[in-house]
Amino acid sequence: MQASFNPLPRPLVLASTSPYRRELLARLRLPFETVAPQVDETPHAGEAPAALARRLAAAKADAVARQRPQAIVVGSDQVADLDGVALGKPGHHARAVAQLRAMSGRTVRFHTALAVRCLDSGYAADDVAVVQVQFRALDDATIERYLLAERPYDCAGSAKSEGLGIALLDAIVSDDPTALVGLPLIRTARLLRGAGVVLP
């Protein structure tokens, strides 16, 4: 009797409770579970946006890998960068208005960092995708209409490019199309293959 093919040498765990990252990882058609990483996401004093994204992605993957040493763990974090200043998740309407006003007519860089860990095998790999987003000039009425329609208060940069937020933009430049949504799948697939996962 022929053994069934298993593309996963170990359990796969997403170190995140983000519905956006969960939906993206599901596109790879691999079974996985999610575990909340319980990581303090407070920036360090003077920490650059890119460094913050990398540190938090690694911290999330490491925290869950310690709980599940036999698993392949994927951690990710995204930080919006406006002239070297990190823009986090707005959390509420007033802060989202302030973020969109600040980004109006400007280019914002989104750093989406990725870390894959497996303690039992010793595998550890990191990468980051940088997405340049050009916002069009936004007046207050446009900002208000958008925020009331989509309420993107849990998104870095206060806009969902996969939804109505695309209408706020003039251009997106990236070599990993899903990075702006929250998980760079080209890089994720590459690092998972490095961990021994079989993908198409």
Side-chain angles (χ1 to χ4, degrees), residues 21 37-44 47 52 55-56 60 76-79 89:
R21 291 194 178 100
Q38 306 297 328
V39 167
D40 180 2
E41 298 190 23
T42 306
H44 293 165
E47 190 171 26
L52 174 61
R55 177 175 65 80
L56 292 180
K60 291 174 182 180
S76 184
D77 194 80
Q78 183 182 77
V79 178
K89 298 171 184 175

Side-chain angles (χ1 to χ4, degrees), residues 26 31 34 47 50-51 55 101 111 117 128 147 153 157 164 186 192:
T34 60
E47 190 171 26
R55 177 175 65 80
R101 282 177 178 164
H111 304 274
R117 302 285 188 267
V128 64
L147 291 177
Y153 307 133
L164 183 59
I186 292 173
L192 289 177

